[in-house]
Amino acid sequence: MTIIKSAEVIVTSPGRNFVTLQITTEDGTTGLGDATLNGRELAVAVYLADHVIPLLKGRDAMNIEDTWQYLYRGAYWRRGPVTMAAIAAVDMALWDIKAKVAELPMYQLLGGQSRTGALAYGHASGRDTEELHDSIRANLEAGFKAIRVQSGIPGADSVYGVHSNAPTADAPATPAGARASRVLPEVETWDTRAYLRHVPTEIESVRHEFGAELPLLHDAHHRLTPREAAQLGRSLEPFDLFWLEDVTPIEDPTALRYVREHTTTPLAIGEVLNSVHDYQTLVTERLVDYVRSAVTHTGGITHLKKLADFASIYGVRTGFHGPTDVSPVGQAAHLHLDLALHNFGIQEYMIHSEATAEVFETSFRFEDGLLHPGERIGLGVEIDREAARRHAYEPGYLPVARLHDGSVHDW
């Protein structure tokens, strides 16, 4: 048996906050798991330290499925982002250990590779058409073969997804709200009618400038009613999107029935979901084309693979959530799954900062638009504890959206 000797939560903030679990076995093998929950990081850190780690000591690290069920079913209070992020961290760390013991890269334990690399999409945005086109060119020059397009809206000071545009480690494209030092959330003003008028014109300009072959994606970020979402999907049909993401709030999955009836634009959703059970209606009724959960928020490798296998039965593909608030540990876990899963669709990829790269040493690579986890045993990520200690936790929040009348809207 490979017995767990100890486990430790590491909170570090190299430009933004990350929560990492390190599990150590009696023979000295270590495994890492990502437990980062953007804006609520310490809730998961405390959950792990006070409620989960005491349950791990003395367990056999090889029994990953049993440990997963023990933490999920044994606690009685199931699901939710805090619980599932904590379980995810344990699960990733145990897979990391198992692959290291086997002396194999983790994807080999999932059945080996189904492809040579995972198609990744970059993030382009601009306050106006010229900035947006410049951002797309920068992404193309960086090697991306698929690009998410987000545009400023006339009259709006700030808009979700319009941010720093350089997709490099020196100046990574970071999502709005990634300001770790803010004490209170930034407030953005939202105008749905202006958005619905403007976005199709910008997507049309991108198609005219960059041609029909470039896969384009767009994120509505849960801000539309079903009718508004259907309107947007219909207006974007001539421009052949790879997907339209998060068109409505996901609390009511049946809202997607109306959207599906009125547009053929492919739909992706799920980054705020954290269980395969959340997807039952969405998948069995084929209301979406891509599932968007992140390994960090969906119970780890064990549970995310179950979601992917469930989705595959209905012809639904994966498009795992991969912003920079998923740490390099979580992103590595995505890439091992991406390489192995038959129903892989695309992988979101935001390049972490140089400071983050100093804390987390990774083996994954990005070449010719494709990501690969590398051949290092385990997940292929190691943490520099000394570098992590140099970056203390800083409270931070994602923005809040309000309408012009001051009422809170979905962010």
Side-chain angles (χ1 to χ4, degrees):
M1 293 195 298
T2 305
I3 301 300
I4 296 173
K5 178 182 178 181
S6 63
E8 181 183 359
V9 179
I10 304 164
V11 180
T12 184
S13 186
R16 67 183 314 143
N17 295 317
F18 298 111
V19 179
T20 306
L21 178 69
Q22 180 171 285
I23 295 177
T24 304
T25 65
E26 288 182 347
D27 65 1
T29 305
T30 61
L32 297 178
D34 181 19
T36 307
L37 186 62
N38 195 351
R40 298 293 185 270
E41 298 90 355
L42 296 186
V44 188
V46 170
Y47 190 105
L48 281 167
D50 292 350
H51 301 293
V52 174
I53 288 177
L55 303 176
L56 298 177
K57 296 174 184 178
R59 294 185 64 85
D60 187 345
M62 296 295 99
N63 295 337
I64 298 175
E65 179 71 24
D66 183 68
T67 298
W68 197 97
Q69 299 295 345
Y70 180 68
L71 296 176
Y72 179 80
R73 298 179 187 275
Y76 186 71
W77 305 107
R78 300 181 185 180
R79 298 162 65 179
V82 174
T83 295
M84 296 303 278
I87 293 175
V90 175
D91 187 76
M92 277 182 260
L94 295 183
W95 277 104
D96 194 15
I97 289 170
K98 183 181 279 284
K100 287 177 178 176
V101 170
E103 298 185 341
L104 291 170
M106 202 278 291
Y107 73 83
Q108 293 288 7
L109 303 186
L110 301 176
Q113 65 181 36
S114 295
R115 55 192 49 80
T116 58
L119 176 65
Y121 69 87
H123 295 68
S125 67
R127 291 166 295 180
D128 54 34
T129 302
E130 183 178 1
E131 276 194 3
L132 176 59
H133 289 191
D134 287 345
S135 179
I136 293 172
R137 292 187 187 96
N139 275 269
L140 294 173
E141 290 171 4
F144 286 99
K145 305 296 185 183
I147 298 175
R148 191 187 80 167
V149 176
Q150 303 296 130
S151 171
I153 300 172
D157 293 332
S158 61
V159 177
Y160 164 78
V162 179
H163 45 73
S164 172
N165 296 319
T168 69
D170 293 324
T174 52
R179 305 165 185 84
S181 62
R182 289 193 65 88
V183 177
L184 293 176
E186 178 183 355
V187 176
E188 297 178 352
T189 302
W190 179 251
D191 185 332
T192 301
R193 293 185 66 205
Y195 167 79
L196 292 174
R197 289 193 302 270
H198 185 67
V199 166
T201 66
E202 287 288 50
I203 301 294
E204 182 178 21
S205 77
V206 171
R207 271 287 174 243
H208 286 164
E209 180 68 19
F210 296 96
E213 296 302 317
L214 178 64
L216 299 178
L217 305 86
H218 178 71
D219 184 1
H221 220 246
H222 305 113
R223 296 189 176 191
L224 307 178
T225 66
R227 186 204 63 76
E228 293 163 348
Q231 177 185 336
L232 180 61
R234 286 284 294 272
S235 67
L236 294 176
E237 283 178 11
F239 312 120
D240 187 28
L241 286 193
F242 186 97
W243 80 32
L244 177 59
E245 179 184 346
D246 289 345
V247 288
T248 63
I250 197 53
E251 285 86 349
D252 178 13
T254 62
L256 272 297
R257 292 173 183 158
Y258 182 89
V259 182
R260 201 57 143 172
E261 289 172 358
H262 290 84
T263 181
T264 59
T265 296
L267 302 176
I269 208 160
E271 68 185 57
V272 298
L273 301 180
N274 49 70
S275 167
V276 65
H277 304 288
D278 297 330
Y279 282 95
Q280 186 170 355
T281 298
L282 294 171
V283 170
T284 58
E285 296 189 22
R286 295 180 172 87
L287 300 181
V288 296
D289 302 278
Y290 298 90
V291 293
R292 286 280 291 140
S293 283
V295 65
T296 302
H297 308 133
T298 317
I301 294 162
T302 296
H303 199 61
L304 197 57
K305 187 176 187 303
K306 289 177 181 178
L307 169 59
D309 290 342
F310 169 56
S312 72
I313 298 171
Y314 296 88
V316 176
R317 294 185 174 272
T318 66
F320 299 140
H321 187 47
T324 48
D325 52 276
V326 170
S327 87
V329 178
Q331 188 70 311
H334 283 147
L335 300 188
H336 286 278
L337 282 162
D338 292 341
L339 205 63
L341 293 171
H342 181 261
N343 61 321
F344 166 78
I346 200 168
Q347 176 61 55
E348 181 177 16
Y349 180 42
M350 299 187 78
I351 301 170
H352 286 98
S353 68
E354 285 191 350
T356 299
E358 292 172 0
V359 174
F360 298 94
E361 181 197 354
T362 65
S363 65
F364 58 77
R365 60 182 184 268
F366 176 60
E367 297 174 353
D368 196 30
L370 303 179
L371 285 162
H372 193 287
E375 298 301 331
R376 184 185 296 173
I377 64 172
L379 289 176
V381 182
E382 300 295 335
I383 189 167
D384 184 329
R385 303 291 295 276
E386 182 58 37
R389 280 191 287 269
R390 291 197 294 267
H391 300 281
Y393 169 79
E394 298 182 44
Y397 297 93
L398 293 166
V400 171
R402 290 184 181 272
L403 303 180
H404 286 292
D405 67 1
S407 57
V408 175
H409 195 60
D410 294 287
W411 193 86

